Amino acid sequence: MSEVTRSLLQRWGASFRRGADFDSWGQLVEAIDEYQILARHLQKEAQAQHNNSEFTEEQKKTIGKIATCLELRSAALQSTQSQEEFKLEDLKKLEPILKNILTYNKEFPFDVQPVPLRRILAPGEEEHLEFEEDEEEGGAGAGSPDSFPARVPDLNGIDLTPVQDTPVASRKEDTYVHFNVDIELQKHVEKLTKGAAIFFEFKHYKPKKRFTSTKCFAFMEMDEIKPGPIVIELYKKPTDFKRKKLQLLTKKPLYLHLHQTLHKE
């Protein structure tokens, strides 16, 4: 085992334990976040090209199945049904498999399959897939817990900072979805390109299709970056980073509410 692989397995194991611990303690928001992050890492490895992976095809298949189980557990925690489809005790059976992935040669304990390659999507890609959407869900107040990735592209649609993923919503109330998280820009405001904007994508996980979809998006222009609260409109997907063809999500009064803080150094 190379040092790179050893380190990778250690990180996966630590992430798995963190998620299971959060799950055991009833910290469901943190558990879901940890499960989804680990699932994405495992899916990426499972679908890596042969030359870019130190795992065999059979091992990658098992890694992909573990990722699927993590998503199933995450979906179960978000379900409003009283009976969970995939239980914590089931998930815990996978920890030794992940730890000993290089020597594991038994039948996988659950009848699941790795998520197909086309389900591993870069931010914004999922809008181009053709399958029915829940357009009548009622806007930002409906659906599964969601997350806001923050982007800062300019008018050419170029990312100026890395995408940031936040944990799922902390609570829902009427038509409001509360996140209560801080997002810090990775660049000084003064150094942002002229014409840049800060984008927010509102996402929700679809358990039946096993992927995360963009529900709507919002953006903040440079002249809107100032201390205090701000309310910005929600637009229909796909996310238009060039801001040329914008269409409001709904006629209902649904907005993204933010509170900005500017720091002087």
Side-chain angles (χ1 to χ4, degrees):
M1 183 192 304
S2 71
E3 191 59 38
V4 173
T5 302
R6 186 190 307 277
S7 176
L8 184 63
L9 292 178
Q10 288 175 345
R11 292 200 301 272
W12 287 352
S15 178
F16 190 102
R17 288 189 295 275
R18 280 196 302 272
D21 285 344
F22 284 136
D23 202 343
S24 299
W25 300 333
Q27 295 178 246
L28 304 189
V29 172
E30 292 83 356
I32 291 168
D33 190 35
E34 196 68 48
Y35 288 152
Q36 291 182 343
I37 290 172
L38 178 57
R40 287 198 295 270
H41 284 293
L42 296 182
Q43 288 166 347
K44 182 178 179 180
E45 186 63 43
Q47 296 169 5
Q49 297 297 319
H50 178 71
N51 295 338
N52 298 326
S53 176
E54 297 192 37
F55 300 99
T56 67
E57 291 304 310
E58 195 61 32
Q59 289 165 354
K60 288 194 291 184
K61 187 175 182 180
T62 301
I63 290 171
K65 289 182 177 181
I66 294 174
T68 298
C69 291
L70 287 165
E71 291 189 345
L72 288 175
R73 179 57 188 163
S74 178
L77 292 178
Q78 299 177 62
S79 174
T80 57
Q81 299 177 2
S82 59
Q83 185 172 356
E84 298 167 351
E85 297 179 1
F86 199 87
K87 298 183 180 298
L88 177 58
E89 51 263 37
D90 294 329
L91 190 70
K92 286 184 176 181
K93 296 175 183 177
L94 304 179
E95 185 175 2
I97 299 176
L98 184 61
K99 180 180 179 181
N100 301 296
I101 192 68
L102 297 178
T103 56
Y104 182 77
N105 57 8
K106 299 179 182 179
E107 184 176 354
F108 198 75
F110 304 105
D111 184 18
V112 298
Q113 293 299 321
V115 179
L117 178 60
R118 68 185 181 89
R119 297 297 193 185
I120 306 302
L121 307 169
E125 281 186 329
E126 67 276 353
E127 296 94 341
H128 304 296
L129 298 180
E130 294 182 358
F131 34 73
E132 69 275 8
E133 289 294 337
D134 304 321
E135 294 298 336
E136 302 302 323
E137 285 178 354
S144 302
D146 310 86
S147 62
F148 282 109
R151 289 186 171 197
V152 189
D154 64 17
L155 287 175
N156 294 319
I158 300 173
D159 284 348
L160 300 180
T161 70
V163 174
Q164 297 183 62
D165 292 311
T166 73
V168 296
S170 58
R171 64 188 175 95
K172 293 181 181 179
E173 182 182 7
D174 296 328
T175 58
Y176 292 91
V177 179
H178 299 264
F179 288 86
N180 297 320
V181 295
D182 294 328
I183 300 174
E184 184 174 340
L185 293 185
Q186 303 302 300
K187 259 188 180 180
H188 292 292
V189 175
E190 295 80 5
K191 295 183 179 180
L192 293 178
T193 305
K194 183 179 180 180
I198 301 172
F199 275 76
F200 301 87
E201 289 178 306
F202 189 27
K203 302 197 171 218
H204 59 159
Y205 181 72
K206 294 191 171 182
K208 291 183 179 179
K209 297 171 183 176
R210 297 181 182 176
F211 84 110
T212 299
S213 170
T214 297
K215 176 65 183 177
C216 57
F217 73 97
F219 62 88
M220 197 164 57
E221 302 278 10
M222 293 296 293
D223 60 0
E224 295 177 304
I225 301 178
K226 49 192 174 183
I230 183 175
V231 176
I232 54 180
E233 295 176 317
L234 299 172
Y235 296 98
K236 289 185 178 180
K237 65 180 185 179
T239 306
D240 182 8
F241 294 112
K242 295 183 180 180
R243 291 162 272 162
K244 290 184 177 180
K245 297 180 180 179
L246 300 173
Q247 186 176 0
L248 290 175
L249 174 66
T250 173
K251 294 180 180 179
K252 299 177 183 178
L254 298 176
Y255 302 93
L256 172 60
H257 297 255
L258 302 168
H259 190 281
Q260 301 180 73
T261 303
L262 299 184
H263 299 282
K264 294 184 179 180
E265 294 184 353

